[in-house]
Amino acid sequence: MPSNKSVSDAPIVQFTNCRILRDNQLQREDLWVREGKILNPEKLFFDEKGSADVQLDCKDSIIAPGFIDVQINGGFGVDFSLATDDFKSGIDLVSHKILSHGVTSFCPTLVTSPPSVYHQVLPQISVRNGGAHGAGILGAHLEGPFISKEKKGAHPEHCLRTFEAGAFQDLLATYGSLDCVRIVTLAPEMRRSSEVIQELTKRGICVSLGHSVANLSQAEEAVQHGATFITHLFNAMLPFHHRDPGIVGLLTSDKIPAGRRVFYGMISDGIHTNPAALRIAHRAHPKGLVLVTDAIAGMGLAPGRHTLGQQVVEIDGLNTYIAGTKTLSGSVATMDTCVRHFQEATGCSVETALEAASLHPAQLLGIEHKKGTLNYDSDADFLMLNDNLYVRATYIGGEEVWRQDASGM
């Protein structure tokens, strides 16, 4: 039966022989796509009297929402914290290469940098949809420079700043523009941080707590003012203490405003967080866990010396350190690797592992109505995976943008 052309001339694609991640579980049903959106087949059959123009056999693949990476500093030799003449070609390269990792949307992340870098780089980042050219850009994640000296991690101390004088005006002067900014990581114990958090939240920018020596009450106050995220839990913050659990205590705090959820990023690469710590966090607050790569320019390249903003870093196996030290500086993990490691380390279900890299980051950014799910009318950004969670193919807007060659299946 031909599709009803009075509704749309666009072809309808039916993906068959697959298990779809929908409503928190894998369901054996077909996926219907038209004009980049996921269709409700009942409406198609009964309202439009339509049917598929094309059928694709998925060979028993899992179909899951595309991964969303909200903290990635670069990769493949590209460093988002370096102001270069060809910055746009660098961001294009990364967005294209991460399609093979199952990433369909991301937030390019800048570590602590001088104001001149923000002023040069941020105007060159624009929010855009994904496609054959690469993963979509959701906006920048600015990690610093308003962070703690004691927990600076791999961030250069000479570039750190405070809110002492003009609070939000200082932040605006430092960054130059907030037009493309989606997330700001700051230390909530800093003086006048509350008013900054409120101003950012008012503008729809997600505030994340990190690189901080905040105690629990300071962290709770930040959440009450609008903060919703924790940057790489356990890393660059006070260790958990039973009398004052610090930022980590937000996972089980009873001071979170009603109807609000605190999310937390985890670098599930087997290096940054011991599997036992990953299990503790997941069991304490499973619905808030967001997998991030925190990948640096050296991701996808051979071991050796690379950059992270103003610093030189050394890659040794899966470890990345500031050159000459044992200070961890980002990761070289890919998102699909993080998903597999998380599932293996926690023993969680396949559905839970996939949602930590798709649904949860979408909920964090308030875009779960169109990304991070396979609900009807949402964007048709999805992956085909095998049972071991290796990506077979990546689709954006219903179009195949990457496929594993047959020899690698």
Side-chain angles (χ1 to χ4, degrees), residues 133-187:
H133 59 277
I137 297 173
L138 300 170
H141 178 170
L142 305 182
E143 188 188 0
F146 301 96
I147 58 173
S148 159
K149 189 165 69 172
E150 291 83 0
K151 291 293 178 184
K152 64 183 186 298
H155 292 237
E157 189 171 325
H158 70 278
C159 294
L160 300 182
R161 302 175 82 85
T162 66
F163 299 127
E164 293 293 333
F168 189 69
Q169 292 310 311
D170 287 352
L171 180 139
L172 276 179
T174 300
Y175 296 148
S177 167
L178 293 173
D179 288 350
C180 71
V181 176
R182 200 59 187 264
I183 305 173
V184 171
T185 294
L186 54 79

Side-chain angles (χ1 to χ4, degrees), residues 43-66:
K43 279 189 179 176
L44 176 67
F45 300 150
F46 297 114
D47 297 353
E48 299 183 31
K49 307 288 189 284
S51 63
D53 298 293
V54 180
Q55 281 189 329
L56 288 175
D57 183 350
C58 301
K59 299 176 181 168
D60 205 34
S61 294
I62 291 169
I63 292 191

